[in-house]
Amino acid sequence: MPASPERVTTIDLLRHGACQGGEIYRGRTDVALSDTGWQQMEQAIAQAADWQLVVTSPLARCRGFAEHCATRFALPLKVVTALQEVDFGAWEGRLLQEVWRTEAHTVSRYYDDPGAVTPPGGEATTDAQERVVAAWQSLMRDCAGQHLLLVGHGGVIRLLLSHLLAMPLSAIARLHIPYASICRIQVYHREGGDFPVLMSLNSRAGQP
């Protein structure tokens, strides 16, 4: 894709590591990383890239490590409220297995068609994607040509990839985004509009 180097933005999407509280729906539930999760993220960035800015969700499982990265690499930090995880409503804080056991039909429909089904009292997936994409577009305007580390959530990364790769929302549950994995996106800024390319999926920093 032809573009001058200064008009290409590189974004490393780093999902947070394992968290305190086990495997629960923790969308807006604000919990810290576990010791294991912190180690996972340290390993993920062991081979540091040439980042110029660290961007993060305000939730502790992302922000705590993002602040650590910004300090460690002497980089500016940008906290973006709109990059919070999806709100799971009545499922918040409950074990995944328990919700599957008690509300299997609704959960199954939610993963099959998240654009049409919303957790009870939760955030519609279409609304979540709209706010996440708006935040992304703002970053592309403000940080064009830079290399960013974005510390975020699995759901947010899936919603972004769905938008950037023109995938249907029904496919987001098929994207495996493990703890402390990195997805690299390069955005070519052209006169006709941005052209995003997925360069790597679930790698470590500095690796293809």
Side-chain angles (χ1 to χ4, degrees):
M1 179 57 55
S4 58
E6 67 272 19
R7 297 305 296 169
V8 178
T9 304
T10 301
I11 309 94
D12 290 326
L13 303 171
L14 170 62
R15 188 189 177 191
H16 63 78
C19 301
Q20 297 176 5
E23 294 304 306
I24 62 173
Y25 283 97
R26 61 168 53 82
R28 297 293 175 84
T29 303
D30 201 8
V31 298
L33 292 170
S34 64
D35 290 343
T36 296
W38 193 275
Q39 291 169 6
Q40 289 170 334
M41 296 185 78
E42 286 281 20
Q43 291 170 1
I45 65 162
Q47 188 177 356
D50 56 345
W51 298 304
Q52 297 166 276
L53 173 69
V54 180
V55 181
T56 183
S57 157
L59 297 178
R61 57 193 184 270
C62 295
R63 183 169 181 166
F65 193 79
E67 291 174 343
H68 166 71
C69 285
T71 300
R72 175 176 169 182
F73 300 118
L75 297 173
L77 176 71
K78 184 178 182 67
V79 180
V80 181
T81 301
L83 294 177
Q84 293 185 84
E85 182 61 291
V86 177
D87 186 344
F88 291 110
W91 296 350
E92 286 282 335
R94 295 171 61 190
L95 289 169
L96 271 63
Q97 288 185 344
E98 186 243 333
V99 176
W100 270 101
R101 185 175 65 251
T102 59
E103 302 176 49
H105 180 65
T106 302
V107 177
S108 181
R109 290 178 57 234
Y110 175 64
Y111 285 107
D112 286 342
D113 192 0
V117 180
T118 301
E123 179 181 23
T125 306
T126 51
D127 291 344
Q129 187 174 52
E130 183 176 337
R131 67 170 166 82
V132 167
V133 169
W136 174 270
Q137 292 172 339
S138 179
L139 282 174
M140 293 305 98
R141 289 192 298 269
D142 296 344
C143 306
Q146 297 186 44
H147 188 173
L148 315 181
L149 174 65
L150 194 160
V151 185
H153 306 276
V156 168
I157 293 171
R158 290 182 180 93
L159 290 173
L160 275 175
L161 291 178
S162 169
H163 169 74
L164 296 173
L165 303 179
M167 297 169 54
L169 273 177
S170 58
I172 62 174
R174 302 174 189 271
L175 292 169
H176 179 53
I177 310 293
Y179 287 139
S181 62
I182 294 178
C183 301
R184 174 168 290 183
I185 300 286
Q186 285 192 329
V187 179
Y188 293 83
H189 303 288
R190 309 179 303 175
E191 287 188 10
D194 289 350
F195 189 88
V197 178
L198 178 63
M199 305 300 293
S200 62
L201 181 69
N202 301 338
S203 65
R204 291 186 178 184
Q207 294 181 342

